[in-house]
Amino acid sequence: MNFFWVNIGLSHKEVVDGNFLWAPLHSQKEEADGVIRTTRFGHWDVVATVRAGDVIFCNVDRRITYIAVAKSDAYEEDQPATRVFKGWDAKGRRVDVQLFKLEPAISIEGYLLETFAERYNDRCIPRIVTKIGSIFQGYMASLPTDAGIDLLHLAGDQEESVASASTDFHSPTFSKTRPPSPTTKQALREARIGQGRFRKDLLNLWRSCPITGVTHQDLLIASHVKPWAISSDEEKLDPLNGFLFAAHIDRLFDKGLISFSPSGNILISSHLSTQDARALNIHHEITLPLKPGNHKYLEAHRRIFGWDK
């Protein structure tokens, strides 16, 4: 699963009615001497990299109003009849999608223009937030995985539907031949919010937060190591893909502000200020007692949040 951002203000109705995204291959303009000048734009070329199962956040008038899941790889297609702009090449790239409407929509004000911009913007291609604090005027941008997971968390209950559709379109044969049973579906749904069988298994495995020593169950969060949205069904329910953390440790870990080395030593992000780390009692002497099965999931966590660079 890869993540993208698309601006669909002018093509909003087309996307909703037709369930597809489209961008031209290039623009073309006739110069005064009669020569046709062709210009390619990187934000159009990004469309070519979309694959079945990828997740695309749709910005409409400064709000993420829909999340689209690609039903197919991007492919070349003629300009749709709904487009009449003559400055574009008649050929373009199309992605067929399934749309999930967000109610309420996610405003880009506040978090997206501040925290999101600080942590992820330099790794978006092209950058989503401009130097003056507005959203870029291009069509599509690719997002780093941690940014996509962060945004997907904001989708609330739609996160489950989006992740399920992504799996179906990415591996259609697998999903059709081995659909999860109703019991497994319920277990997966509960695991997304750290409840049910997944939580019980973690309570039996850890009994307390290994970082703070907190034992009160109401203060403990069943946290996935490899994020739920990009885990397989088996990984979502595997207790070795989880830690039982106190709430503030869970939040830090879930946001990638901390992680752990293969030996269990804490890794602290530069995005966590010294003042906040001190207030939360986060320091470099912390060591997490790992179990053998934790390592492959921690490796995924470090890779997603950029610790293994």
Side-chain angles (χ1 to χ4, degrees):
M1 180 193 300
N2 294 309
F3 296 94
F4 297 86
W5 175 291
V6 67
N7 294 319
I8 59 169
L10 296 177
S11 58
H12 175 207
K13 188 175 187 303
E14 172 189 274
V15 173
V16 174
D17 291 346
N19 291 287
F20 70 90
L21 302 169
W22 185 90
L25 296 179
H26 53 74
S27 67
Q28 47 194 18
K29 180 181 179 181
E30 185 176 352
E31 302 289 357
D33 58 4
V35 175
I36 302 296
R37 180 166 60 89
T38 297
T39 305
R40 300 184 69 95
F41 293 98
H43 58 87
W44 287 343
D45 289 340
V46 172
V47 178
T49 66
V50 177
R51 297 291 178 264
D54 287 348
V55 173
I56 307 155
F57 299 94
C58 303
N59 173 42
V60 183
D61 298 329
R62 300 177 68 83
R63 294 180 301 169
I64 300 176
T65 307
Y66 298 91
I67 298 179
V69 178
K71 298 168 64 175
S72 65
D73 293 355
Y75 59 95
E76 287 199 10
E77 179 75 358
D78 291 340
Q79 184 176 157
T82 48
R83 306 286 184 100
V84 294
F85 187 63
K86 295 181 180 180
W88 289 343
D89 182 19
K91 284 284 186 182
R93 298 186 183 93
R94 171 172 169 146
V95 179
D96 297 319
V97 299
Q98 180 176 348
L99 290 176
F100 297 87
K101 188 172 184 179
L102 299 183
E103 295 179 320
I106 303 170
S107 172
I108 68 167
E109 309 301 335
Y111 174 75
L112 283 178
L113 291 184
E114 295 171 5
T115 305
F116 182 92
E118 177 191 349
R119 291 202 61 190
Y120 309 120
N121 202 44
D122 286 346
R123 293 182 286 126
C124 298
I125 305 174
R127 291 182 178 90
I128 289 174
V129 182
T130 69
K131 292 181 179 179
I132 61 173
S134 60
I135 297 299
F136 81 116
Q137 295 298 303
Y139 186 63
M140 185 176 284
S142 63
L143 304 178
T145 301
D146 51 344
I149 291 169
D150 209 353
L151 287 178
L152 196 52
H153 284 338
L154 300 179
D157 291 341
Q158 288 285 39
E159 179 182 15
E160 180 183 348
S161 299
V162 170
S164 177
S166 174
T167 299
D168 288 346
F169 294 132
H170 180 69
S171 306
T173 303
F174 177 83
S175 61
K176 289 178 181 177
T177 56
R178 296 179 57 188
S181 68
T183 300
T184 300
K185 285 183 178 179
Q186 180 62 24
L188 293 169
R189 190 170 296 115
E190 292 172 340
R192 183 179 71 84
I193 57 174
Q195 297 298 323
R197 174 178 131 198
F198 179 70
R199 178 178 176 83
K200 290 178 182 178
D201 287 345
L202 282 178
L203 286 168
N204 289 332
L205 195 62
W206 292 96
R207 301 197 179 278
S208 65
C209 172
I211 303 301
T212 64
V214 169
T215 60
H216 195 300
Q217 292 193 14
D218 289 343
L219 303 177
L220 295 172
I221 307 294
S223 178
H224 281 88
V225 182
K226 182 180 179 181
W228 183 92
I230 60 172
S231 292
S232 68
D233 286 354
E234 293 77 10
E235 290 171 337
K236 289 171 181 173
L237 298 177
D238 185 356
L240 292 170
N241 185 22
F243 294 129
L244 195 65
F245 282 149
H248 69 293
I249 302 296
D250 166 74
R251 183 70 169 176
L252 292 166
F253 186 74
D254 185 58
K255 290 287 188 178
L257 292 171
I258 62 170
S259 191
F260 299 90
S261 72
S263 59
N265 295 321
I266 195 169
L267 305 170
I268 304 174
S269 171
S270 60
H271 292 290
L272 182 64
S273 70
T274 301
Q275 178 181 346
D276 287 344
R278 186 180 300 114
L280 294 169
N281 198 28
I282 299 299
H283 51 82
H284 288 286
E285 286 70 42
I286 291 174
T287 301
L288 179 65
L290 297 174
K291 304 182 187 303
N294 293 147
H295 289 284
K296 65 177 182 179
Y297 296 118
L298 257 182
E299 181 181 0
H301 186 272
R302 290 194 301 271
R303 182 177 66 252
I304 291 164
F305 290 103
W307 290 104
D308 286 343
K309 293 180 180 178

